[in-house]
Structures are given as C-alpha cells and as structure tokens.
C-alpha cells in the first residue's frame, strides 16, 4: 500500500509538470507518514508533451454450470432415460444406463472447447427420497490422449439414499471433456450433473501422461481388456495411431478372474507384450478384450459381434485412434469371429488376421464380401490347414473376376491347434510391418 501511495504521488507531480508550470519553478509534495515524491524537482525546460497511463481492471470469470445443455453420450442408456436428461437443468429427469453385468459404465460431457473445471455436483438417485444412488464412481478428464482421474473425485461407499454429492477438485482441471465413471452394476443413474467452471481456458501443451509402453487393464461396459499404448504415444497430442483388436479363443482369457490385472501368461497377442523388445517394436494401440464375466475364466466364451463393434466405438473415444487403420485378429474361435467381422463390417476394417481358424466361412452367403479385404491367415499343418486355404481359393475363383486382396496363407509345418501356431505368428514382426500398411482408404 505504501508503494502504491508513492506511485500516486509521483504521478500527481508528473501531472502538474505536464500542465506547464513556470520555467525553473520548484514543486514539493509532502504527506504525513508517506514517502513523498522527490521534494525538490527543478524544471529546466518547459513541458512539451504528456504521457497517458491506462490501467485496465479485468473482472474474474464467473463460475457457472458449464455442463448445462452440452452434448453428452454414455456407454449404455435406457430408451426412456437418455443422457441429455442429465444436463438439461431439471431434477425431475435423469439418465439411466441399460442393464449390464459389467461395471465401469461411462457418461461423457463434451464441453465444446477448453474450460477450467473446479468442481462438480452430482444429483443422484431417482428422487430425493429413493435409495438407488450410485455407490462408487469417479470423475475423469480427457488429457489429450486418454482419460485421467481427477484428484479428489473418487467416491467409494456412497450411501444408497444420498441425493447429492458435491465434489471440490484438489486443483482446477483444464480440459475439453469430462467423464463420470460409474463402478456399479447393473444400473447407473444420474439426475443432473453440474460442472462448475469457466470457459476460454488455454489447454496444456507438451507430452501427455498416459500409461504407454506397457499393457494395462481397462474396465468398460462391453468387455474388460488388456490395453497397450505404443511407447511414443505420449510424445504429442495430435498423432493418431492404428488400432488392433485381438481376440482370444473360446477357452482363453487375458485378465485375472477379478479383472484387476493382466494374466502372467495371457492367450493370444496379449502374451507377446511380456517381451520388452516386442513392446518397443509395436507401433499400434492393441486392445485384447477378455470374454469373461468377473467371476471365472473357465468354460467356453464366444465374442459377440455387436458388442465388439460398440467396443471399437468406445476405443475411438478413449484413445487417439486412426480410423483409417483398424484391424481385427484372433485365434481359434477368435479367428472365426474376426472373419465374421470382416464379412459384416468390411467398410470399417482395414484388414483382418485370422489364426487357426475352425469355422467354414465358405458356407456363408456373405463370404464374397471378403474379396476386397486384405487378409493374412496363419495355420498349422497339423491342424486341418485347408480351413484357411479354402477361403483364399474361393475368393479368387468364385467371387468375380480378379484375385482377391487375401494373401497366401502361412502354414507352419510343426504347428497344431496350439501356441506353436498362434504364438509363432504373433511373435513375427513381419506380420505387423504388413498389417500397419493396410488402410481402409486405399480401397475406397
């Protein structure tokens, strides 16, 4: 404060000089208890000009509910209680998920630009007097490459009869999207989500901090999965990466029974990430879904095609995916599913890699839809090798003129219906050199 008074005094003196006092006049300003401007100011020349000092005071941005009426989406929703109801400003409507055995459903808010978010209000339950509140949930922010939990927002053991949960962030977060992750099953409910913050923030620059170069567990409303992000994934915020979705066989799995860790010896492509050199070489996002409920890894498990395609759409929200380079691969029953996906969704896939196929796709009326799709099949000579080679012959000779995009099948002389076939194939880096060159746009 003392310095401010001194500055004002000096400015007052300058103002007097600017008004043009007599040449040689002396001005002295003294104020009790305050350091004055220089007490003897001698003017040797008449003032010939003046300076203008402009002081601009900017009012602080007003904190408001920045989620109100913004675009929203969810991992699943009932047909009656849609996501938009949770940001419409009304406590008489709500979003409610569809029934699911799996936890970690999500509710996303697109803020449509960078905002600083300081806290949140979650209006829970179906009403203020009901007992259907979410018991475990957290808030996440999109950081440019993945979703990161916002410090101070993880809630466990929330009472079923609670109707409001107010969360004050440990520190403000600058982001473009916020996600509520519901860890309950079978339903998640949210009457209203209010995100308190301000617009026009400046996004962070530089590297992101996603879990790259290692295989981690991702929970979700479709299949829980082992996920690998390339070692260079964090280097910038703009590069999009190819995506490989790898399916185990009907008797296999990738995660522990409780879905908290990747198995030490998972089946399929996920196993290769135990090798440091393989991790360093892989230049794609790899998602290895686990077709198991979180209670057992036994019995037969068949992947569901609509669920896999929904999982693909989730992946596009969760990571920087290059939609031009999306691939499916699988072994045994997973190989069968990858071929079925190729027939049904040729327009979305850049290539498929079936290994140790057990089905007979040539019996399908849609088999010729595979003709333009790049396919590299692998098989063991001890495992009825004609299963894969017959597809190549069929596509080349019975599906119109010209050769198909399927390349010659690789047959391992000593391979059976076991790891001698699929582990050998997945360890071959030449497979990925070929695969990652395939682009959907090359055939459109």
């Amino acid at each position: 404060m003392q310095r401010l008074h001194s500055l004002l005094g000096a400015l007052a003196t300058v103002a007097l000089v600017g008004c043009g006092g007599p040449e040689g006049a002396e001005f002295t300003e003294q104020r009790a208890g305050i350091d004055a401007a220089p007490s003897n100011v001698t003017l040797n020349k008449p003032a010939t000009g003046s300076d203008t000092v402009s002081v601009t005071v900017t009012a602080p941005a007003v904190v408001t509910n920045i989620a109100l009426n913004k675009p929203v989406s969810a991992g699943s929703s009932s047909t009656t209680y849609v996501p938009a109801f949770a940001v419409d400003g009304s406590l008489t409507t709500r979003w409610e998920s569809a029934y699911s055995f799996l936890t970690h459903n999500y509710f996303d808010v697109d803020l449509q630009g960078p905002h600083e978010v300081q806290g949140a209000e979650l209006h829970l339950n179906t009403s203020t007097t009901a007992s259907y509140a979410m018991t475990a949930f957290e808030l996440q922010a999109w950081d440019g490459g993945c979703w990161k939990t916002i410090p101070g927002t993880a809630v466990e053991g929330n009472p079923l009869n609670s109707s409001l949960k107010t969360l004050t962030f440990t520190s403000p977060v600058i982001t473009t999207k916020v996600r509520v992750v519901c860890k309950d099953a079978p339903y998640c409910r949210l009457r209203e989500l209010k995100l308190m913050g301000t617009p026009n923030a400046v996004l962070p620059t530089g590297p992101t901090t996603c879990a790259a170069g290692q295989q981690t567990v991702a929970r979700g409303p479709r299949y829980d999965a082992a996920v690998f992000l390339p070692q260079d994934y964090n280097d910038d915020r703009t590069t999009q990466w190819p995506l490989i979705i790898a399916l185990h066989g009907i008797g296999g799995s990738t995660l522990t029974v409780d879905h908290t860790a990747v198995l030490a010896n998972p089946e399929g492509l996920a196993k290769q990430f135990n090798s440091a050199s393989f991790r360093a070489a892989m230049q794609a996002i790899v998602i290895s879904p686990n077709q198991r409920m979180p209670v057992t890894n036994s019995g037969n498990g068949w992947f569901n095609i609509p669920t896999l395609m929904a999982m693909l759409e989730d992946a596009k929200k969760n990571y920087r995916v290059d939609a031009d380079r999306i691939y499916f691969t699988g072994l045994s029953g997973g190989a069968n599913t990858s071929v079925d996906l190729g027939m049904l969704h040729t327009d979305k896939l850049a290539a498929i890699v079936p290994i140790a196929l057990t089905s007979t796709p040539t019996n399908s009326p849609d088999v010729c839809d595979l003709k333009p799709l790049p396919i590299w099949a692998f098989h063991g000579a001890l495992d009825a090798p004609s299963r894969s080679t017959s597809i190549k012959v069929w596509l080349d000779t019975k599906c119109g003129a010209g050769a198909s995009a399927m390349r010659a099948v690789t047959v391992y002389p000593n391979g059976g219906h076991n790891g001698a076939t699929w582990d050998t194939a997945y360890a071959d880096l030449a497979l990925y050199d070929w695969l990652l060159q395939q682009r959907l746009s090359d055939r459109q």
Side-chain angles (χ1 to χ4, degrees), residues 207-222:
T208 56
T209 57
C210 306
Q214 57 187 305
Q215 200 164 219
T216 59
V217 175
R219 310 293 296 271
R222 323 298 174 192

Side-chain angles (χ1 to χ4, degrees), residues 107-443:
F107 180 92
D108 290 353
V109 181
D110 182 356
L111 299 175
Q112 297 184 299
H115 288 65
E116 180 180 274
V117 193
Q118 301 173 9
E121 291 182 9
L122 287 84
H123 293 264
L124 307 171
N125 241 313
T126 57
S127 69
T128 57
T129 59
S131 295
Y132 300 110
M134 295 187 296
T135 64
F137 52 89
E138 66 181 51
L139 267 63
Q140 298 177 349
W142 174 253
D143 84 334
C146 59
W147 294 92
K148 305 299 288 288
T149 300
I150 300 173
T153 69
V155 175
E156 300 286 342
N158 188 56
L160 286 169
N161 61 356
S162 62
S163 61
L164 173 63
K165 188 69 176 180
T166 301
L167 300 174
T168 301
F169 300 171
T170 302
S171 58
V173 174
I174 296 177
T175 185
T176 59
K177 294 181 286 187
V178 173
R179 167 174 287 184
V180 178
V181 178
C182 168
K183 302 175 187 178
D184 290 347
Y187 291 107
C188 301
R189 299 178 176 93
L190 188 60
R191 283 190 297 148
E192 192 74 11
L193 173 65
K194 295 182 179 181
L195 297 174
M196 310 312 296
T198 58
N200 303 320
V202 178
L203 286 172
T205 57
T208 56
T209 57
C210 306
Q214 57 187 305
Q215 200 164 219
T216 59
V217 175
R219 310 293 296 271
R222 323 298 174 192
Y223 297 111
D224 295 335
V227 174
F228 174 84
L229 302 180
Q231 289 186 351
D232 298 334
Y233 184 83
N234 286 319
D235 287 357
D236 68 78
R237 295 168 178 265
T238 59
T239 300
Q240 293 181 315
W241 294 81
L243 169 65
I244 302 172
I245 298 181
L247 311 179
H248 59 67
I250 63 172
S253 54
T254 57
L255 303 181
T256 56
V257 171
D258 61 2
H259 292 196
T260 61
V262 180
L263 286 168
N265 190 30
E267 186 178 73
L269 179 50
K271 181 179 179 180
Q272 299 303 317
F273 293 105
N274 289 337
S275 164
S277 60
F278 188 87
R279 295 195 300 270
M282 177 54 69
Q283 295 298 298
I285 301 168
V286 180
I287 298 178
S288 300
N290 192 73
Q291 202 292 322
R292 303 290 179 185
M293 291 299 102
V295 289
T296 181
N297 278 343
S298 62
N300 290 340
W302 288 98
F303 286 100
N304 177 273
I305 287 179
T307 304
L308 286 171
M309 295 308 293
M311 184 181 189
L312 169 58
E313 295 306 310
D314 289 342
K316 293 177 183 178
K317 296 179 181 180
N318 295 341
Y319 309 104
R320 294 195 310 270
V321 172
D322 181 358
D324 198 33
R325 293 188 290 169
I326 293 173
Y327 319 100
F328 272 89
T329 182
L331 63 94
S332 189
N336 301 349
T337 302
S338 69
V339 172
D340 291 342
L341 282 159
M343 287 189 284
L344 296 173
H345 298 286
T346 313
D347 59 334
K348 293 183 174 65
L349 306 184
I352 61 171
V353 179
I355 302 176
L357 188 77
T358 64
S359 64
T360 309
T362 52
N363 290 337
S364 171
D366 300 318
V367 65
C368 287
D369 290 342
L370 293 172
K371 188 177 181 73
L373 181 66
I375 304 171
W376 189 355
F378 293 79
H379 218 85
L382 306 179
D383 184 27
S386 62
R387 289 172 178 163
S388 292
T389 54
S390 62
I391 301 176
K392 169 69 174 168
V393 173
W394 190 283
L395 295 178
D396 287 345
T397 62
K398 298 186 177 182
C399 294
S404 69
M406 182 177 181
R407 58 180 292 163
V409 178
T410 296
V411 179
Y412 296 117
N414 299 318
H417 198 74
N418 51 34
T421 297
W422 48 72
D423 289 344
T424 304
Y426 282 134
D428 188 353
L429 296 182
L431 164 59
Y432 310 102
D433 290 341
W434 171 84
L435 185 63
L436 301 185
Q437 293 180 49
Q438 311 308 312
R439 294 179 178 272
L440 182 61
S441 58
D442 287 344
R443 64 176 197 271

Side-chain angles (χ1 to χ4, degrees), residues 75-104:
S76 71
S77 299
S78 87
T79 56
T80 303
Y81 306 110
V82 298
F85 285 169
V87 292
D88 64 358
S90 170
L91 297 181
T92 63
T93 59
R94 70 177 185 271
W95 162 70
E96 186 171 296
S97 70
Y99 184 92
S100 176
F101 287 105
L102 290 175
T103 61
H104 292 74

